Amino acid sequence: MRVWREYRGLTQQELAQVPGVGKSYISQLEAGRKSGSLRFMRTLAEALEGDMEDLIPPE
């Protein structure tokens, strides 16, 4: 997720504003400490103009 966010030139704060969450939540998602719902990940993928599969880390 961080790669896509940085590629699009967004800060964590700017990306967090799209779904209306805190910057810390985006940080935790990027670090793999949290996982978002499918709906939430779809919203982030749309904001980043990418595929949802690109945001989900491999197991």
Side-chain angles (χ1 to χ4, degrees):
M1 180 183 313
R2 180 179 60 212
V3 172
W4 277 105
R5 178 181 56 75
E6 290 175 349
Y7 178 72
R8 297 293 180 213
L10 297 170
T11 65
Q12 288 179 341
Q13 183 64 45
E14 291 168 332
L15 182 58
Q17 290 174 354
V18 174
V21 297
K23 174 187 167 277
S24 64
Y25 190 70
I26 298 296
S27 176
Q28 291 173 353
L29 285 172
E30 288 183 356
R33 291 189 300 263
K34 294 264 186 188
S35 61
S37 69
L38 291 177
R39 177 178 284 169
F40 183 78
M41 297 305 280
R42 187 176 320 128
T43 300
L44 291 180
E46 290 172 2
L48 294 170
E49 301 175 27
D51 293 326
M52 190 169 66
E53 292 81 17
D54 295 332
L55 303 182
I56 300 170
E59 292 187 27

